[in-house]
Structure formats: structure tokens, C-alpha cells
Amino acid sequence: MTGLLSGFLLAFVGLSGGLAVGSGMVAFLVVLDIIPRLAQISRSYRSIRLYEAAVVLGAVFFTVTDFFQWKIRLFPLSASLLGLFAGCFVGMLAAALTEVINVLPILAKRIRMEEYMIWLLMAMIFGKVFGSLIDWLGLVQ
């Protein structure tokens, strides 16, 4: 009996956590206006439903693959292609967040580096790239 109750409790907590994280992600995307901004930049307002469907289907697909621990056998170069798409998404998300809260101009003003803004940006970009490469290549154990 306790096994059944702990199973229900585990399912309830897992579902609640998933709903909370999913709702937070949707709210985050809505607040940042990622999809409308992408349509505005690319001048493709007619495809906005496709963008929305791609985000939803991508989230559902990768949730299912993680949940069921699917293994997909692809050619070795496909990892770089998938990494490129993931990097584009994370980059757009970071750029949208920065644009919304205007964190870089405020940071540059507070640390008195307004004239060195391009160097600050480059340091952040190269730090992220090199840190990711070190992690992905397994140079640090």
C-alpha cells in the first residue's frame, strides 16, 4: 500500500514540477517576445505560426526523447549541426533577455566601461565559446 502511495506521490510531484517548468518557459518566451521578434527581424510575419509550432514540437519531442531515453543514431557530423541549432536558440534567448532588461548598458555604466563596451561583449562571447568547447571536448575532468 505504501508503495502505491509513494508512486502516486512521485507521479504528482513529477507532473507538478513539469507543469511549473513548462509554464515558466512559456511565460519567459512570451515576456521576451522571442517569436514575434524573430518574425520581425526576418520579415516573415506570415510564418509566425510555423515558428510557434516549431518551438512547441521541439519541446515536446525532446521531452519525450529524454523521458523514454531514446537513442538516435546519426552520422558524426550531425552533432555539430544540432549544436549549431541549439547555440542559435540559446543565443537568441540570451540576446532577447539582454534586450529586455538592458543589462549590458547598465553594467557598463556601473563599472565605468561605456567606451569599452565592444571589448566587454567580445569577452563575454569568447568566454562562453571557449568554456563550452572545453566542456564539450572533455578537457576538464
Side-chain angles (χ1 to χ4, degrees):
M1 184 69 175
T2 60
L4 185 64
L5 284 175
S6 66
F8 280 126
L9 181 64
L10 185 63
F12 178 74
V13 168
L15 239 120
S16 300
L19 285 172
V21 169
S23 300
M25 184 64 184
V26 167
F28 193 57
L29 288 174
V30 168
V31 165
L32 294 179
D33 273 344
I34 297 276
I35 295 172
R37 181 80 173 128
L38 183 61
Q40 178 186 11
I41 289 172
S42 62
R43 295 187 183 121
S44 58
Y45 290 107
R46 291 177 283 127
S47 302
I48 200 162
R49 295 284 181 215
L50 281 172
Y51 293 143
E52 292 169 349
V55 169
V56 169
L57 289 175
V60 169
F61 176 75
F62 285 108
T63 299
V64 169
T65 58
D66 185 45
F67 187 72
F68 291 113
Q69 298 178 352
W70 289 349
K71 303 251 189 280
I72 301 172
R73 304 272 183 225
L74 298 172
F75 59 98
L77 198 56
S78 64
S80 62
L81 184 64
L82 292 174
L84 178 70
F85 288 142
C88 288
F89 177 75
V90 170
M92 281 193 324
L93 205 59
L97 182 60
T98 305
E99 188 176 302
V100 167
I101 62 174
N102 293 324
V103 72
L104 290 180
I106 294 169
L107 175 69
K109 185 181 279 187
R110 291 223 174 143
I111 61 175
R112 294 178 179 90
M113 291 187 69
E114 294 98 348
E115 59 214 35
Y116 303 108
M117 182 70 119
I118 189 72
W119 294 105
L120 182 64
L121 285 170
M122 288 297 131
M124 293 169 72
I125 291 168
F126 286 127
K128 179 67 178 169
V129 168
F130 290 138
S132 296
L133 285 174
I134 288 170
D135 183 45
W136 293 335
L137 296 175
L139 299 177
V140 177
Q141 298 300 331

